[in-house]
Amino acid sequence: MIGALAAVIPATAGESTAGRPTVGLQWTACPQDVVVPPAVQGQVQCAKVPVPLDYRDPGGTQIEIMVSRIASTKPEKRRGVLMFNPGGPGGTGLDQPGFLAGQGLPASVMDAYDLIGMDTRGVGHSAPVSCGFVLGDAYWANIPPYAVDDADVTRHAEVAEEVAARCAENDTDGRLRHLTTANMARDLDRIRAALGEEKASFYGASYGSALGAAYVSMFPRSTDRIVLDSNIGDTHLDRDGLRRYALGMEQTFPDFATWAAARHDSYGLGRTPQQVRRTYLTLAERFDRTPAPDGLTGEFFRGITFAYLYNERQYGNLARTWQSYLDPGQAPSQAETAAAAPSPNDNAFTVFLAVTCNDVQWPKDVTTYRRAVAEDRKRYPLFGAASANITPCAYWKYEPSEPPVAISAKGPRNVLVLQNRQDPVTPLAGGKLLREKFGQRARLVTANQSGHGVYVLSGNACALNLTTSYLVEGTMPARDTTCRGD
């Protein structure tokens, strides 16, 4: 148990003189699988930063973190480095500088910073880990499946237990236990030092908000301007954070329902938002009772609807998919492939589980999850019986090696929190929680719109301008601000 740990890593372990990284990196061409948009071809370089596998033994086994860079070409305007994390945990970040540049990241930001992406430990090109997931696995998403009843919770508990055992069996080099948000934050500070910078700025979205919150709390003296976008609400994802997915879907679904109702003549999903909601529930319950011959189930239907709500630009694709579901036999099938084929999601699934399960203690009693599923099925009918369901963390082999990073309200006022009012996975409640925990260190910018992600990608002019002004000029809003939707 956490309270009985014999040794806890100090918050400043990344600043230890033992195993201090050497300043200066060897920049070369990035691996071929790093996507580089045409607009920045030739500008993206990669390098490797050695870090301790276990920060309690900084001189012991080292792993390498691969980082990418688009360097500022305006030395007279350059402020420093801006590191990125796109979320997950488990998402590759080497492509983030190029991706955001291709999406319209303002030139003033690119002039002010060297843009630094990375694969965090365990991901992609940074000492990757694997639980051995294959295509056709019963475990097909990190978000638990919708549980129609208690028997469904029990059935998924068996899957979760098998997955946890498989992860432990595949952990032949002992890396999984060292994948934590705290260690990733320590890696960030090692990267900063290796880049030769006294301070580093950071932009993190989704889970990246948790990593950024940990980073600025553990290293307040070496962090510069911090932007946390689409927020989990803490430095880790726990049961409360996972269950908030259902709140997010309840708050975001009406925007899609309104959109679809206005286009009933094209998609036939309902003439009013209430009718569109009934269509969703009718389809889900139909596939709960009788899965389609092609493998489509209610849990898969709910999961794909949840995923499409991430971005308003996907509403048309979601509506067209529902159209096919209304015509039995014409719906896209749930993918099922021979079990021998490795899953392309293996690495992402593995890192998500390792970080989530290692960061905090999860309940081990199935009854706890049955009770939560029953509660949230009533409270959040659209998705509550999914996000409250049991995960492999209930059976994880490793106990947390230290308490979760505590958010520190002490330090400079350098945390800008961005949050959409309707967000299916990180609802507004998460942004408010993070703002409250940081106190006067932070300001909250709420964009009055739907979707997952605010800066650059949402197209909200007010939020874009406020964030760019903060990153380039250091101008923090004087108070919490609401931006109207554009």
Side-chain angles (χ1 to χ4, degrees):
M1 298 297 291
I2 290 176
L5 290 176
V8 173
I9 307 172
T12 55
E15 298 171 343
S16 168
T17 56
R20 184 182 296 277
T22 301
V23 174
L25 299 176
Q26 294 184 347
W27 295 100
T28 61
C30 292
Q32 291 185 349
D33 61 350
V34 177
V35 178
V36 180
V40 289
Q41 284 287 343
Q43 298 181 45
V44 183
Q45 299 174 302
C46 284
K48 294 180 178 179
V49 179
V51 301
L53 175 64
D54 184 350
Y55 276 91
R56 291 170 296 191
D57 182 19
T61 301
Q62 304 289 298
I63 59 174
E64 290 184 320
I65 306 298
M66 182 171 283
V67 300
S68 62
R69 178 184 69 172
I70 296 179
S72 168
T73 60
K74 302 290 180 62
E76 71 279 7
K77 296 182 178 181
R78 184 185 182 277
R79 177 177 180 82
V81 296
L82 174 61
M83 299 190 288
F84 294 94
N85 184 270
T92 180
L94 287 173
D95 63 351
Q96 282 300 286
F99 171 74
L100 290 173
Q103 293 295 313
L105 186 69
S108 56
V109 176
M110 299 183 69
D111 291 344
Y113 297 97
D114 292 350
L115 309 181
I116 306 296
M118 71 197 70
D119 282 350
T120 51
R121 60 169 55 205
V123 174
H125 294 278
S126 297
V129 293
S130 168
C131 286
F133 291 106
V134 296
L135 290 173
D137 249 324
Y139 186 90
W140 53 270
N142 279 322
I143 300 171
Y146 190 93
V148 175
D149 50 27
D150 282 354
D152 252 4
V153 179
T154 301
R155 177 180 61 83
H156 190 63
E158 295 171 356
V159 174
E161 185 173 16
E162 187 278 328
V163 167
R166 195 191 324 176
C167 290
E169 182 179 351
N170 279 273
D171 186 29
T172 55
D173 53 12
R175 291 179 182 171
L176 281 189
R177 71 187 70 198
H178 300 293
L179 268 63
T180 66
T181 300
N183 280 339
M184 289 179 177
R186 296 177 177 109
D187 292 345
L188 289 177
D189 204 58
R190 285 298 182 104
I191 293 167
R192 172 204 58 79
L195 291 168
E197 300 289 334
E198 292 186 5
K199 293 187 176 185
S201 296
F202 179 86
Y203 169 86
S206 196
Y207 165 76
S209 69
L211 177 56
Y215 180 42
V216 75
S217 296
M218 294 172 67
F219 300 97
R221 294 188 299 277
S222 59
T223 45
D224 192 14
R225 295 169 183 172
I226 307 298
V227 179
L228 308 180
D229 189 336
S230 304
N231 300 273
I232 289 175
D234 212 320
T235 62
H236 56 279
L237 179 64
D238 57 12
R239 284 188 70 228
D240 290 341
L242 188 59
R243 290 174 74 175
R244 280 196 292 273
Y245 289 12
L247 170 64
M249 185 162 180
E250 290 286 349
Q251 292 176 339
T252 306
F253 186 87
D255 288 348
F256 168 71
T258 299
W259 182 96
R263 295 160 177 81
H264 174 76
D265 289 346
S266 293
Y267 297 107
L269 304 182
R271 295 189 179 280
T272 67
Q274 294 76 18
Q275 290 177 357
V276 174
R277 183 183 177 96
R278 282 199 297 273
T279 299
Y280 169 85
L281 294 172
T282 298
L283 286 169
E285 290 166 5
R286 176 204 297 174
F287 295 123
D288 286 338
R289 293 190 304 270
T290 309
D294 56 12
L296 179 66
T297 62
E299 65 185 40
F300 184 76
F301 168 71
R302 291 180 175 92
I304 197 170
T305 297
F306 175 80
Y308 272 124
L309 294 180
Y310 274 44
N311 192 313
E312 289 180 325
R313 291 191 292 271
Q314 293 295 325
Y315 284 2
N317 289 330
L318 177 57
R320 187 175 64 246
T321 300
W322 278 27
Q323 271 188 307
S324 65
Y325 292 154
L326 288 168
D327 183 3
Q330 298 301 313
S333 64
Q334 181 174 345
E336 293 187 5
T337 310
S343 169
N345 297 316
D346 174 45
N347 182 230
F349 283 2
T350 302
V351 175
F352 180 95
L353 286 175
V355 176
T356 302
C357 301
N358 288 337
D359 271 355
V360 65
Q361 187 76 58
W362 289 70
K364 299 181 180 300
D365 181 9
V366 179
T367 301
T368 301
Y369 296 94
R370 291 196 192 102
R371 186 164 48 244
V373 165
E375 292 172 355
D376 284 8
R377 187 185 296 113
K378 294 180 180 179
R379 183 165 52 165
Y380 305 122
L382 298 178
F383 206 59
S387 59
N389 205 353
I390 194 167
T391 79
C393 293
Y395 303 99
W396 200 244
K397 176 181 178 181
Y398 309 114
E399 296 291 322
S401 61
E402 58 182 317
V405 177
I407 290 178
S408 174
K410 296 181 179 180
R413 193 180 74 179
N414 64 339
V415 181
L416 185 63
V417 179
L418 307 180
Q419 185 66 53
N420 283 328
R421 186 172 297 279
Q422 292 85 239
D423 183 323
V425 61
T426 54
L428 179 59
K432 289 182 174 180
L433 280 170
L434 209 58
R435 166 67 176 89
E436 179 182 356
K437 291 170 183 176
F438 273 115
Q440 291 306 304
R441 292 193 70 184
R443 290 292 181 266
L444 172 63
V445 174
T446 303
N448 191 20
Q449 60 189 24
S450 280
H452 189 53
V454 180
Y455 187 51
V456 179
L457 299 180
S458 75
N460 186 289
C462 166
L464 175 72
N465 292 337
L466 287 173
T467 306
T468 300
S469 179
Y470 172 57
L471 287 172
V472 177
E473 305 294 338
T475 306
M476 177 79 78
R479 61 185 64 84
D480 294 345
T481 303
T482 297
C483 290
R484 66 176 180 82
D486 292 340

